[in-house]
Amino acid sequence: MLSIKQHKFTEESGGMVSTASPKAGPSVPITIDPRTSFASTSKLVHVLAAAIPVIWIVAALLHPQDQTTANNGTWLAVHIAQLALAPLLGIVMWLLLRPLQGTAAAVGRFAIVLWIALFSAFDAIAGIATGVLVDGGFQEASTYLFEHQTFGGEFSVLGSVAHPMWIVVAISCAVALRFNRARSSAWVAMLASVLFALHAGPFAAVGLAALALTVWSAMTEEGRPDRERQLA
């Protein structure tokens, strides 16, 4: 922006004339591209985007804590639903991060791609494959697969990487929203969504509710990050 270093007033033709020497100062470029802003998308997209984490809340609360022959139908249904919801949630996060600039936003976009791949692989193996084996009467094979140290349950290599990857997504997105001057409720809620890394149970549901709040805030005019940031 322009800074006025000095003013000189001279009398010319009976009037006062102001002269100034402008100097270009530092400025921060526009951080939000209106053409790609989440808030600029259609109302239908808004509703669908907010609905994804809300639907996942139902799956998180229905997710059995332990797999048995009695609850195997619910176990399979929940994990099949998660496999469908994971890429949809990834699209929502991509739309949320797409107009944001900065290193944190770039990290978030990279992390969400990794999360989709890792979580989907984990869900397919530890959830759907084990459920199919139990459904076919192969309980011992299901237990072996779930307890596999590389590809199995929560404490396998795959599980230990897939779940923390959401923490990277949540923190980087929260930092990006804060840097781009989003409303406080948006980036604070995004930070709270780290609880979704648990992926099942009440705490995961709270994280998903916080994520839904973030998405909804990003859609509103008040929650839209500043399109122009200029330092005085």
Side-chain angles (χ1 to χ4, degrees):
M1 67 187 285
L2 298 180
S3 58
I4 306 303
K5 287 298 185 182
Q6 60 180 353
H7 287 274
K8 295 181 182 178
F9 293 92
T10 60
E11 185 140 6
E12 296 181 4
S13 304
M16 300 296 293
V17 179
S18 174
T19 62
S21 58
K23 183 179 179 180
S27 63
V28 177
I30 295 173
T31 57
I32 298 296
D33 185 348
R35 295 169 298 179
T36 60
S37 173
F38 200 172
S40 67
T41 55
S42 69
K43 295 296 182 182
L44 178 60
V45 173
H46 293 178
V47 173
L48 292 176
I52 298 304
V54 173
I55 294 172
W56 204 321
I57 289 175
V58 178
L61 293 175
L62 291 176
H63 192 299
Q65 294 302 311
D66 297 304
Q67 182 185 22
T68 65
T69 53
N71 66 17
N72 191 57
T74 302
W75 176 276
L76 265 173
V78 166
H79 286 89
I80 291 172
Q82 289 182 163
L83 191 63
L85 288 168
L88 295 177
L89 187 62
I91 293 172
V92 171
M93 294 304 300
W94 187 269
L95 290 172
L96 183 64
L97 286 163
R98 183 176 59 168
L100 303 181
Q101 294 185 9
T103 302
V107 171
R109 287 189 286 268
F110 180 72
I112 193 61
V113 174
L114 289 180
W115 176 81
I116 294 171
L118 293 169
F119 181 84
S120 296
F122 170 80
D123 184 77
I125 296 171
I128 298 175
T130 58
V132 170
L133 288 171
V134 169
D135 192 53
F138 302 100
Q139 183 67 49
E140 291 185 3
S142 174
T143 301
Y144 168 78
L145 182 59
F146 188 82
E147 295 178 353
H148 196 282
Q149 293 184 351
T150 304
F151 302 110
E154 304 290 341
F155 302 106
S156 66
V157 174
L158 184 58
S160 298
V161 176
H163 298 315
M165 187 57 62
W166 178 262
I167 298 177
V168 177
V169 172
I171 293 177
S172 59
C173 187
V175 172
L177 287 168
R178 179 68 181 88
F179 175 77
N180 286 270
R181 295 187 178 181
R183 189 169 52 177
S184 296
S185 61
W187 67 266
V188 171
M190 188 68 234
L191 196 59
S193 74
V194 295
L195 291 171
F196 176 52
L198 297 172
H199 96 275
F203 288 107
V206 171
L208 285 162
L211 179 59
L213 176 60
T214 300
V215 174
W216 187 259
S217 296
M219 296 172 190
T220 63
E221 185 68 26
E222 288 184 9
R224 187 186 308 183
D226 294 344
R227 289 186 175 179
E228 294 183 4
R229 291 179 57 204
Q230 300 292 334
L231 292 180

